[in-house]
Amino acid sequence: MFDRSIVLNNGVKIPQLGLGTWLIDDNEAADVVKAAVKIGYRHIDTAQAYGNERGVGEGVRTCGIPREELFVVSKVAAEHKTYEEAMVGINETLEKMGLDYLDMMIIHSPQPWAKVNQSEDRYVEGNRAAWKALEDAYTAGKLRAIGVSNFQIEDIESLLETAKIKPMVNQILLHISNTPMELVEYCQKNNIAVEAYSPIAHGEILNQPEITAIAMKYGVTVPQLCIKYTIQLGAIYLPKTSNPEHMKGNAQLDFEISAEDMELLKNFKKIQSYGDSEVFPVYGGKM
């Protein structure tokens, strides 16, 4: 998997396999990044909201791999809905990470986290302002690609009304039992790459015996089945782990899910709970 990439709509290549770093402590992040790079990972994903940009940046700078061979991503805080806030945040991220440029930066959410699942306001003008900051940083050479995260079709369409540059990706919650095919197909039709975060449903899919049975049928683990599923949907995938053995396993995907099983997985029942993690807005919780 390490040599597979997707070409974004501006011609930039992004490795299809990325390492998610959500909930990895800043003091541990550098070692996690270095371990992942040693295994073969070249795409590292962080965010201002994760609180570990400093550590991730340290790992990128000290991993022994030339900077141009790595694809480093961060996210504009969901609360930054003015041009000034977004631009200051972009510059602070670069400074904190100790990098001259990022390979990509994206808007983390169309709504501030405290409003997700609690407000009808889609922050149209705020997203346009944050997007203008990303466009300017992109034009200035600080970013090689720009995109969005957690955006629905209406959010993308309202952004496109004033955007000079089309988003290159939309990073969304995408996994077995949560497959928003209308959104996935809309993005792909409009040449916006789809990135799947939490492809293993933050671990909760491990509790589904039907999925375990399908994984056993292919002689793979449940995480490998889940990750292969997102790949066959054409998505970039971002499994989060700090465990080197899991990092290796998440890249060992030399099998193919049948068309029949793909349809079954697309329509798999929605999981009832994300366990302790359901407090987070991305899993339906409220702040």
Side-chain angles (χ1 to χ4, degrees), residues 58-258:
E58 179 187 336
V60 168
R61 297 192 316 272
T62 61
C63 67
I65 296 295
R67 171 68 184 91
E68 62 272 16
E69 293 182 19
L70 300 176
F71 197 96
V72 184
V73 183
S74 192
K75 307 176 188 71
V76 173
E79 293 72 26
H80 290 177
K81 297 303 182 194
T82 68
Y83 178 92
E84 292 74 19
E85 288 173 331
M87 186 58 80
V88 167
I90 293 165
N91 290 329
E92 285 181 349
T93 286
L94 288 168
E95 182 178 354
K96 194 175 293 185
M97 298 187 77
L99 302 176
D100 295 327
Y101 69 93
L102 288 182
D103 296 278
M104 186 163 68
M105 198 151 191
I106 62 184
I107 298 175
H108 207 160
S109 168
Q111 298 171 297
W113 293 124
K115 298 296 183 181
V116 173
N117 305 320
Q118 299 188 75
S119 173
E120 303 260 331
D121 187 352
R122 302 305 294 181
Y123 289 80
V124 170
E125 293 306 320
N127 288 318
R128 289 174 176 176
W131 187 251
K132 178 66 165 61
L134 283 174
E135 288 181 326
D136 287 353
Y138 173 78
T139 302
K142 296 176 182 179
L143 311 171
R144 295 179 64 229
I146 53 178
V148 295
S149 180
N150 297 301
F151 272 50
Q152 299 302 311
I153 292 173
E154 63 178 302
D155 302 315
I156 297 172
E157 290 187 334
S158 65
L159 196 67
L160 290 176
E161 289 178 12
T162 58
K164 294 180 181 177
I165 300 170
K166 180 191 289 188
M168 286 126 205
V169 306
N170 186 16
Q171 188 180 122
I172 61 174
L173 179 64
L174 174 60
H175 58 75
I176 295 169
S177 89
N178 189 82
T179 307
M181 282 309 301
E182 184 181 4
L183 177 59
V184 170
E185 290 171 354
Y186 170 87
C187 290
Q188 292 174 338
K189 178 182 177 182
N190 286 279
N191 202 16
I192 298 170
V194 174
E195 290 189 300
Y197 69 78
S198 295
I200 309 167
H202 211 60
E204 289 304 311
I205 208 74
L206 300 172
N207 301 324
Q208 303 298 321
E210 302 98 323
I211 301 302
T212 300
I214 295 174
M216 290 177 65
K217 168 183 169 183
Y218 289 97
V220 298
T221 66
V222 170
Q224 287 169 330
L225 178 75
C226 292
I227 290 167
K228 187 68 173 185
Y229 171 73
T230 61
I231 290 174
Q232 289 186 214
L233 289 176
I236 298 156
Y237 68 106
L238 301 166
K240 173 262 169 184
T241 182
S242 58
N243 184 317
E245 290 307 311
H246 293 170
M247 291 177 192
K248 293 175 185 176
N250 290 344
Q252 293 168 348
L253 304 170
D254 189 22
F255 68 101
E256 197 76 13
I257 302 172
S258 70

